[in-house]
Amino acid sequence: MKSAQCDKRLAILQAALELIAEQGFHGAPMAMVADRAGVGAGTIYRYFENKDLLIAELYSALEQKLKVVLMEGYLPEKPIRERFIHLGRALLRYCIENPLHFRYIEQFHNSPYGVAFRRDKILGKQGECDVFRELFDDGVAQQVMKDLPLVILFALAFGPLLTVVRDHILNFITLDEPLIARTVEACWDGIRR
Amino acid sequence: MKSAQCDKRLAILQAALELIAEQGFHGAPMAMVADRAGVGAGTIYRYFENKDLLIAELYSALEQKLKVVLMEGYLPEKPIRERFIHLGRALLRYCIENPLHFRYIEQFHNSPYGVAFRRDKILGKQGECDVFRELFDDGVAQQVMKDLPLVILFALAFGPLLTVVRDHILNFITLDEPLIARTVEACWDGIRR
DNA sequence: ATGTTCGGAATAAACGTTCATTCTTGGTGG
DNA sequence: CCACCAAGAATGAACGTTTATTCCGAACAT
């Protein structure tokens, strides 16, 4: 059957997600991933060439899913401020509801894997991922955002959001819907002219 | 002699700092640290009980040094805005001039070691480190800052700063003095009422 | 001579990966 | 309907490498 194969593949991805998100890359040896997925150690290599590719593939899947969620209900014709607030809130909500996804993506970014990835994203082909780039370019052009380099605006917007999510997941604070709204609006104050 | 011992000790710390900052914890096996420090592999264990303690001690030293630098020229009697700008600028300057220190501290925070550390810092004994806490408490009390939980204000202030330093070190952008000033002021916009 | 420090080969544990073997399955001939 | 079989999937013990740590003889200072 096809579904049986898919089951195992998904089980492996899920096990890797949980272990790596919770314990980091070191805390997730292949044997442990196999164990949690309920498969033999060698089975993983039937679905993924090696550990690096498993990690990269999982990252791509999560990134893809996040992108989809962010675009849900995004209206490009609304004013820039509203578009930003929408994206910020959606991002916070998604990360809070999927802490494992968030933690995994963070682990990935803070690893040797992630650096090359981000370098390509920011400097290389700017063809995609550009809901954000477009929004910020618009914002600067229309003079509703500060006239700062794109990278700085990104930092002002997402630096606080990701920090806040980290703190929420580590139980340093509890984010509810009103607090989310106020936080995103504070971020807007940082970038708006 | 005392200085000979101190030399080796410092050489080991410096070697660990460089390797871990540049390559992460994985890229810094003890044998390599010993090599770069110009000592035998076993010698490290005369100065540090094990790798974990070496890592923790190095972190404490860097944190201590950073704290001292931030307090240089800090005037508690100045207005809150000025105090914040001073701290922000000093932080950016220090991290840019000492990228290895910054990278090491980041590596530490994003590792199993760092989490317990931060938990103690934020939730536990609030007796120290409190230049920031005091400043933000004041800011909220005097109503010049937004009435948000301390953790959120911290995120709004330092999230962007640390992100920006990361981007600078990775060569995504080049921070000069004017850009530093404008970035810190944008952060202030995020937290001010 | 004697006590202290050093070095790097030796050690044991842990890791990613492989591979010879076993198990499962779906089709085929009787 | 059953017995059989080829072929793909799954397994986990075994392997080679890498790691932190130990240990003992050499080098040095006193």
Side-chain angles (χ1 to χ4, degrees), chain B residues 6 14 22-23 37-38 70 80 82-83 105 109 123 134 143 159-160 167 172 181 186 189:
Chain B
C6 239
Q14 179 65 23
E22 284 163 9
Q23 319 266 359
L70 287 183
I80 288 177
E82 276 185 53
R83 279 189 274 165
I105 290 173
H109 276 124
L123 297 180
E134 198 185 300
Q143 308 208 354
D167 291 341
F172 295 163
D189 286 343

Side-chain angles (χ1 to χ4, degrees), chain A residues 135-160:
Chain A
L135 177 61
F136 282 69
D137 276 339
D138 272 19
V140 173
Q142 296 182 212
Q143 308 209 355
V144 308
M145 286 189 194
K146 293 186 173 77
D147 186 23
L148 287 167
L150 214 60
V151 175
I152 303 268
L153 291 176
F154 266 71
L156 287 167
F158 298 111

Side-chain angles (χ1 to χ4, degrees), chain B residues 40-52:
Chain B
T43 305
I44 296 178
Y45 291 85
R46 299 203 57 76
Y47 296 95
F48 304 95
E49 202 175 317
N50 56 45
K51 191 177 187 179
D52 285 5

Side-chain angles (χ1 to χ4, degrees), chain B residues 27 39 49 70 76-77 80 82 114 127 130 134 157 163 168-169 187-188:
Chain B
V39 303
E49 202 175 317
L70 287 183
E77 67 274 15
I80 288 177
E82 276 185 53
D130 284 8
E134 198 185 300
T163 304
H168 173 90
I169 290 177
C187 282
W188 172 254

Side-chain angles (χ1 to χ4, degrees), chain B residues 27-44:
Chain B
M30 293 299 258
M32 208 179 284
V33 172
D35 214 38
R36 180 175 288 226
V39 303
T43 305
I44 296 178

Side-chain angles (χ1 to χ4, degrees), chain B residues 121-154:
Chain B
K121 267 277 161 51
I122 297 195
L123 297 180
K125 47 165 185 168
Q126 67 237 41
E128 46 151 346
C129 111
D130 284 8
V131 208
F132 290 116
R133 182 187 286 263
E134 198 185 300
L135 176 62
F136 282 69
D137 276 340
D138 272 18
V140 174
Q142 297 181 212
Q143 308 208 354
V144 307
M145 286 188 194
K146 294 185 171 78
D147 187 23
L148 288 167
L150 215 58
V151 175
I152 304 269
L153 291 177
F154 266 73

Side-chain angles (χ1 to χ4, degrees), chain B residues 32-105:
Chain B
M32 208 179 284
V33 172
D35 214 38
R36 180 175 288 226
V39 303
T43 305
I44 296 178
Y45 291 85
R46 299 203 57 76
Y47 296 95
F48 304 95
E49 202 175 317
N50 56 45
K51 191 177 187 179
D52 285 5
L53 287 182
L54 164 59
I55 287 169
E57 188 164 324
L58 181 48
Y59 175 79
S60 296
L62 294 178
E63 195 191 33
Q64 181 60 31
K65 189 173 176 187
L66 173 61
K67 206 176 294 180
V68 168
V69 168
L70 287 183
M71 294 314 290
E72 265 170 26
Y74 181 78
L75 300 173
E77 67 274 15
K78 288 261 183 180
I80 288 177
R81 180 179 188 279
E82 276 185 53
R83 279 189 274 165
F84 174 78
I85 302 274
H86 170 89
L87 288 177
R89 288 224 232 177
L91 179 62
L92 281 193
R93 267 191 237 110
Y94 179 81
C95 290
I96 287 172
E97 282 164 22
N98 303 84
L100 291 182
H101 295 206
F102 173 75
R103 296 268 295 158
Y104 183 92
I105 290 173

